[in-house]
Amino acid sequence: MSQNRTFSFEFFPPKTPEGVAKLRTTRQQLAQFKPEFFSVTFGAGGTTRDGTLAAVLEIQGEGHAAAPHLSCIGSTRESIAAILQEYRNHGIRHIVALRGDIPSGMVGIGEFRYANELVAFIREQHGDWFHIEVAAYPEYHPQAVSATADIDNFVRKVEAGADAAITQYFYNADAYFHFVDAVRAKGVEIPIVPGLMPIANFSQLARFSDACGAEIPRWLRLKLQAYGDDIASIRALGLDVVTELGDKLLTGGAPGLHFYTLNQAGLVSTVWQRLGL
């Protein structure tokens, strides 16, 4: 099994001073695992632009690699160009390029319709300055017209200049392996790192999953539902499920893992230790 694996942790930009302090503590706990990078999400239409940059600069200032997310929906070429230049001025070399969700009530979707257009624009403006990650959907994007169309979409992002991909979270390892086989058959060779989401809270997970098209297997959903408000049992089952999934993915040749932390260190740290990383 290759040891050149990439492990990364994702945060969202905190909105309050308490959130900033809490994220600092979370980051200190996760930094001991020496991840390849920390990524920081970006609100639809640039709503968290300043928060994303502030978090990334703080991470960099602590001596860690950081990758801001950049979503293009609802943006102009001019506004995206300004953000890219700002990142470059700060020495940021790594970006997670996304289309982003269309906020409800948004009238115009802006000058970029798809992530491949954003990737092409970044390359056109900055050549190879940025290492570009894109998103992959093993269970297919919820708005994709078909599985085939979604695969083609992914291939377009890679052809536009993506260096690597991070997947949406999922709980079915086969979905990941089938997706990788399908895009490899289309000539895609970039690393596709699976995203893992620890399970802390069933109602929150169900809400996220319904919104992003990630499937909670029926047996898992029913078992989690049956625990009701028994948080300890939900977390114990979640730790078993996510650890087993991570193990299956790494054993099957996944090039690393990307953890959706929700700005919490506890469950991620436990999964990390259980996987023997």
Side-chain angles (χ1 to χ4, degrees):
M1 199 164 26
S2 159
Q3 288 314 300
N4 300 334
R5 298 185 305 204
T6 302
F7 296 99
S8 50
F9 300 115
E10 181 171 309
F11 303 132
F12 58 83
K15 291 192 170 75
T16 63
E18 297 77 40
V20 170
K22 186 181 149 208
L23 180 55
R24 225 165 260 155
T25 307
T26 295
R27 211 164 50 235
Q28 280 165 355
Q29 288 172 281
L30 295 177
Q32 65 183 334
F33 300 130
K34 301 188 170 48
E36 199 80 13
F37 64 93
F38 291 112
S39 76
V40 183
T41 62
F42 186 87
T47 46
T48 66
R49 173 180 172 173
D50 295 342
T52 300
L53 180 62
V56 164
L57 292 179
E58 190 169 309
I59 292 167
Q60 272 194 334
E62 292 166 353
H64 309 298
H69 290 213
L70 179 60
S71 57
C72 60
I73 209 82
S75 299
T76 61
R77 291 169 75 85
E78 195 182 354
S79 66
I80 294 293
I83 293 170
L84 290 169
Q85 193 55 54
E86 189 172 26
Y87 287 164
R88 184 165 178 164
N89 293 346
H90 285 292
I92 293 163
R93 307 276 326 228
H94 195 162
I95 277 184
V96 182
L98 309 162
R99 184 197 76 166
D101 299 324
I102 301 174
S104 58
M106 180 182 269
V107 182
I109 57 170
E111 293 183 55
F112 297 91
R113 293 192 53 175
Y114 303 108
N116 65 292
E117 296 170 3
L118 174 60
V119 174
F121 182 72
I122 297 170
R123 288 286 177 237
E124 182 188 302
Q125 299 279 309
H126 294 279
D128 289 336
W129 174 268
F130 292 108
H131 176 92
I132 303 175
E133 307 269 351
V134 291
Y137 295 86
E139 295 170 320
Y140 308 118
H141 193 283
Q143 288 159 352
V145 278
S146 69
T148 315
D150 202 46
I151 295 285
D152 291 343
N153 238 350
F154 180 73
V155 173
R156 273 195 289 276
K157 291 193 276 196
V158 176
E159 288 171 345
D163 294 298
I166 296 168
T167 79
Q168 176 61 271
Y169 71 87
F170 55 88
Y171 295 102
N172 175 355
D174 287 345
Y176 169 79
F177 292 120
H178 283 304
F179 179 84
V180 171
D181 288 346
V183 300
R184 295 282 183 253
K186 296 261 187 183
V188 167
E189 290 175 6
I190 65 167
I192 299 168
V193 175
L196 282 194
M197 171 84 94
I199 301 172
N201 171 315
F202 174 65
S203 56
Q204 183 187 49
L205 180 70
R207 197 171 65 247
F208 284 166
S209 300
D210 292 343
C212 70
E215 189 179 328
I216 303 172
R218 182 177 161 80
W219 70 269
L220 179 57
R221 187 180 276 267
L222 292 176
K223 215 163 176 180
L224 289 168
Q225 266 172 346
Y227 287 135
D229 294 331
D230 181 355
I231 298 295
S233 296
I234 289 171
R235 291 186 173 193
L237 174 63
L239 284 168
D240 288 346
V241 167
V242 174
T243 303
E244 190 185 330
L245 176 63
D247 188 50
K248 209 178 267 187
L249 291 165
L250 293 173
T251 304
L257 297 170
H258 179 77
F259 290 88
Y260 293 99
T261 70
L262 301 181
N263 293 11
Q264 314 264 358
L267 294 174
V268 172
S269 301
T270 306
V271 171
W272 182 279
Q273 281 151 352
R274 283 190 181 189
L275 285 170
L277 301 172

